[in-house]
Amino acid sequence: MKIKNLLSFSIVVLWTLPLLIGCDSSPSDTSAPSYPSRYILNVTSQPDHLPADGLSQSTIRAYVTTEFGDPVSNILLYASTTLGTFEGSTGSGRNAELTTDESGYAYVFLKAASTVGTTQITVSHENAHATVMVNFI
């Protein structure tokens, strides 16, 4: 009987010991959660029609979120325009750099061209791109 109990005990120990050794109650990764590398970028203009007077301005607003809809702050964005010039941002002329605020928004002002036409404003970050059009009439 003692041999049978000893044999049963040995089998239980042999089967459970590897499980106990492999278990660890402390977390193995204590780093902060990371955001996905994919961002969603939305760009709007207000207004989307300006007189072609070389003076009027439209506010270009970019909004960056994760693919889960969470706003992303402190992200560097690059903006370009095919007509008109940017003001109120890092850079000048037809290219600008903007940084999102704590709510995921970044703003730049587009100064109207002095010629009639439509400009395409593109804002990008890594693989995310968004475009909006503004008409100079």
Side-chain angles (χ1 to χ4, degrees):
M1 185 70 156
K2 287 185 177 187
I3 293 178
K4 187 176 179 183
N5 286 342
L6 183 61
L7 184 60
S8 295
F9 177 77
S10 297
I11 290 173
V12 170
V13 168
L14 288 175
W15 280 99
T16 58
L17 188 59
L19 294 175
L20 293 174
I21 292 172
C23 292
D24 185 5
S25 62
S26 64
S28 60
D29 183 11
T30 59
S31 62
S34 63
Y35 287 104
S37 60
R38 183 170 172 219
Y39 295 115
I40 298 171
L41 188 53
N42 184 349
V43 178
T44 60
S45 62
Q46 184 61 38
D48 61 0
H49 289 78
L50 292 173
D53 60 7
L55 300 172
S56 299
Q57 292 186 345
S58 176
T59 301
I60 308 302
R61 181 181 76 171
Y63 181 57
V64 182
T65 63
T66 66
E67 59 190 337
F68 304 111
D70 300 317
V72 181
S73 63
N74 204 33
I75 293 293
L76 181 63
L77 304 174
Y78 299 95
S80 64
T81 182
T82 57
L83 199 56
T85 57
F86 290 121
E87 292 188 351
S89 64
T90 304
S92 61
R94 296 203 174 166
N95 296 297
E97 293 180 354
L98 347 167
T99 303
T100 57
D101 62 18
E102 63 278 352
S103 299
Y105 290 99
Y107 301 90
V108 66
F109 297 102
L110 176 70
K111 186 176 176 183
S114 55
T115 58
V116 173
T118 300
T119 186
Q120 176 177 316
I121 296 116
T122 302
V123 178
S124 61
H125 175 77
E126 294 177 357
N127 294 329
H129 305 279
T131 301
V132 67
M133 307 296 242
V134 175
N135 296 305
F136 301 128
I137 50 176

